[in-house]
Each structure stands twice: as structure tokens, then as C-alpha cells.
Amino acid sequence: MKSMNWYKKQLKRKPVQITRYVVQAVFLLFLLYVGVRFYQFYMHFETLGETPFVERPSAVEGFLPISALMALKVWLATGDFDVIHPAGLVLLSFFVGGAILFKRSFCSWICPIGTVGEWISRLGKKLFKRNFEVPTWLVWLLTPIKYLFLLFFLGMVIVMPTYGAISFLNEPYNKISDVKMLSFFLDISTFGIGFLSVMFIISLFYKNFWCRFLCPYGAFIGLGSIFRISKISRNEETCTNCEMCTKVCQSRVKVHKVETVNNLNCTACMACVEACPVKNTLNMTVANKKVSKWFIPVTFFVAFFLIIGFAKITGHWESIISYEEWKILIPEAKYID
């Protein structure tokens, strides 16, 4: 068991990473709470009122990216903000738009799948004494997959006429898409269990496999890095090529080989910056200006909570679906396609 002094040294040496681990755990617990509350909300209507009514947590809409994409299309085309799942649109818009400055901070600080993926990789490291590297040739083959998924979903939304997207948003299926998602996990198929099991096993060996190669949501957010406003810069003159930065990178970016980290997979977790043993060799820069290693995570969360607060104050957070409509829709959810 680690001593208290060890933990103090770790906190002093990598305060951002320790903070990130705590934030990840807090958000995961919060999302589990949201899941339990949503289940209670669902059961009230599924049992026809036999269980107590619980308010539907709007945060559950963060798990409805397709609905949010449709809503984003309608918003951009007509100026009408979605009233069915408004929180989903708020979250998607912030994570994707904010990525221009914050990169994929969502993935390394908030995303529950990213958090669990990191935990699994740490478990694998304990079991096998290391995480394995995906062969370079296989990386080249796997990397396009998430972008193909993203292209499929974006293409589906883009080619759909605006009136079709509006119709979709108001259909019963979209209204209960969150219930459909819940039903998937409550009555998960053999294929679903098999897929999750395979991903668990692969993630034991290869760090953040899902995030690096398969997640279209992360790929969408990562597009903000194309603008290269925020990036990790390496001072080649003071770099000792110890490769510590590359070893701790969650996305397996070869940090020690580049002058600036422009990789779309960079999640701005700051692990490489804190791992570097030579002061001012690795730095986060914004518009080519050096900033504190706390700048991206702090501004990300300040903006995150301000946006949510503004959405709540202006009435762009809670769904307009009424209790009476839920009362009709949820008991019939299994028949709505």
C-alpha cells in the first residue's frame, strides 16, 4: 500500500493529472446518478404510476448524439432551437464548437467511456506489467474507421432535407430516443454483450482503443484541432528525448518526435506536459502564446458551466414534452420504431 508521502509527491509532481482523475470520477458518479434517476422516471410510467414520479434529468440527452445532430442541422438552417431535446443540442454544440480552443478536453475530462477506458488500460498494465503498442501498419488501417463512422452519420444528416429533419425531431421515436437507449441496456442482446466483452479485453492490452480508433463522437470533436489554435509545443533544444511524454500519452501520440502536437487525437489532458522532466520543454500554447498548463482545463469547465447556466436561464435546457405525453409514449415505447 502506498504511503501518504507518496501521494503527496504525486500531487506535487502532477497536480493536473490528479485533478483530472478526481474530476473523471466525480463526473462518472454524477452520470450514474443521472442514469438511476432516469430509470426511476422511466419506471413511473412503465408501471403506470405504481412507483413514485421522479423528474427526468435533462443531462441524459448528452447520450443522444444523432438527435442532437438533427437538431443542429435545423438550428443552423432555420434558427429554430430544438425544444424536444434541447440539452442534447446545447452539449453537442459546446463540445464540438468549443474544441476549436479546448481540443478534445471532453474526452479526457468528462466522457464516461473515456474514463472507463483509461481505468481498464490501467488494470491491464497492472496485470501484464505494460500496455501493448498497436503495430504501425495496423494503426494506419484502423485510424480511418472512426472518421468513416462520422462521415456516415454526418452524411445522413446533411443529405436529409431540412423539413425531413424537422419531422424527425417531432416524431414519437425521437421523443423517446432516450427511453430506447435505456431499453438497449436493460435488455441487452447477446451481440451487445459480446461486443462490450471484446472491447473490454482489447482495452486491457491497448490503451484507449475505442477512443483512438472507433469513436465517431470523439472524431467529430477532434476536428476542432484542425484550426491549431491550441497545441502542445516542444522545445527541441532542451528536449532530452527521454520519451516520457510519449509513454504517458493516452492517445499514443509520438510527442517526443514532433515540434508541435497537432494530432487530432490530442485530448489536452496535459499528461505529457507534467511528465516532462525538463522545465519549459513542453508547453501548452494558445494562438502561439505560452499559457499555464491549467489554462485549457480551467477555461473549459468555466465555459461549460456558464453555457449550461445560460441555457437553463433562457429556457433552452428542459424538454417541452409534458407529463401527459410521457404517460402515453413510454408504455408504448417498445412498439415505436
Side-chain angles (χ1 to χ4, degrees):
M1 187 174 179
K2 301 287 194 305
S3 67
M4 184 60 69
N5 284 334
W6 184 87
Y7 286 107
K8 288 180 179 179
K9 287 180 181 179
Q10 290 291 79
L11 182 59
K12 185 177 181 179
R13 187 166 64 89
K14 48 182 184 180
V16 175
Q17 291 313 291
I18 300 299
T19 302
R20 189 171 71 87
Y21 299 152
V22 172
V23 170
Q24 283 180 320
V26 168
F27 267 91
L28 185 61
L29 289 173
F30 169 72
L31 292 173
L32 288 173
Y33 168 77
V34 167
V36 171
R37 297 287 290 181
F38 183 66
Y39 176 75
Q40 293 173 324
F41 164 83
Y42 162 78
M43 286 304 297
H44 172 76
F45 296 100
E46 182 67 13
T47 60
L48 304 179
E50 291 184 10
T51 60
F53 173 71
V54 172
E55 287 287 345
R56 173 181 174 276
S58 296
V60 75
E61 294 175 13
F63 295 93
L64 306 176
I66 302 301
S67 177
L69 267 177
M70 291 289 189
L72 181 60
K73 175 187 176 72
V74 173
W75 185 30
L76 294 176
T78 69
D80 294 331
F81 203 90
D82 184 31
V83 294
I84 304 300
H85 297 307
L89 177 54
V90 169
L91 293 172
L92 177 75
S93 300
F94 172 71
F95 293 142
V96 174
I100 295 173
L101 174 61
F102 307 123
K103 301 176 77 67
R104 287 176 55 183
S105 294
F106 163 78
C107 301
S108 59
W109 288 82
I110 292 179
C111 179
I113 298 175
T115 297
V116 172
E118 280 193 42
W119 291 357
I120 294 173
S121 68
R122 285 185 209 137
L123 174 62
K125 191 172 183 178
K126 286 185 178 295
L127 293 174
F128 309 116
K129 306 305 178 185
R130 68 188 180 102
N131 292 127
F132 296 83
E133 292 292 336
V134 179
T136 303
W137 65 268
L138 189 54
V139 170
W140 281 99
L141 289 177
L142 293 174
T143 297
I145 294 177
K146 63 183 178 184
Y147 295 106
L148 290 175
F149 284 149
L150 175 62
L151 184 62
F152 170 76
F153 291 121
L154 287 179
M156 178 180 65
V157 173
I158 291 171
V159 300
M160 178 180 286
T162 301
Y163 67 83
I166 294 173
S167 176
F168 171 83
L169 293 178
N170 289 284
E171 285 179 357
Y173 182 86
N174 180 56
K175 290 182 177 180
I176 58 163
S177 53
D178 47 6
V179 175
K180 288 286 189 180
M181 176 189 63
L182 176 64
S183 298
F184 169 81
F185 289 103
L186 293 179
D187 189 23
I188 192 168
S189 65
T190 303
F191 174 80
I193 294 174
F195 178 78
L196 292 176
S197 299
V198 169
M199 290 309 305
F200 175 82
I201 294 171
I202 292 176
S203 298
L204 284 174
F205 293 94
Y206 303 107
K207 184 181 287 188
N208 284 17
F209 188 87
W210 167 264
C211 303
R212 292 168 61 196
F213 301 117
L214 300 177
C215 180
Y217 197 90
F220 194 15
I221 296 174
L223 294 181
S225 296
I226 292 175
F227 297 95
R228 299 183 178 183
I229 293 177
S230 302
K231 53 184 178 287
I232 302 292
S233 296
R234 181 175 69 93
N235 186 333
E236 296 180 277
E237 294 181 0
T238 58
C239 178
T240 62
N241 290 307
C242 66
E243 300 188 24
M244 286 301 298
C245 50
T246 296
K247 291 176 182 177
V248 299
C249 179
Q250 298 298 323
S251 300
R252 314 311 293 155
V253 177
K254 304 298 183 184
V255 182
H256 72 285
K257 291 185 176 182
V258 296
E259 184 177 346
T260 57
V261 179
N262 296 314
N263 193 296
L264 301 185
N265 284 330
C266 177
T267 63
C269 67
M270 299 299 147
C272 61
V273 174
E274 291 198 311
C276 183
V278 183
K279 188 176 181 180
N280 290 325
T281 295
L282 281 180
N283 292 291
M284 171 58 75
T285 62
V286 176
N288 296 320
K289 298 286 182 66
K290 175 186 170 183
V291 296
S292 165
K293 62 185 178 181
W294 290 99
F295 179 81
I296 292 295
V298 169
T299 52
F300 170 76
F301 279 107
V302 169
F304 176 64
F305 288 115
L306 283 176
I307 289 292
I308 291 178
F310 181 76
K312 288 184 176 183
I313 292 171
T314 57
H316 293 90
W317 188 254
E318 302 291 341
S319 173
I320 66 164
I321 302 176
S322 66
Y323 179 94
E324 292 302 321
E325 193 169 5
W326 286 122
K327 194 174 179 180
I328 296 171
L329 288 172
I330 291 180
E332 298 294 321
K334 65 184 74 170
Y335 306 111
I336 299 175
D337 294 315

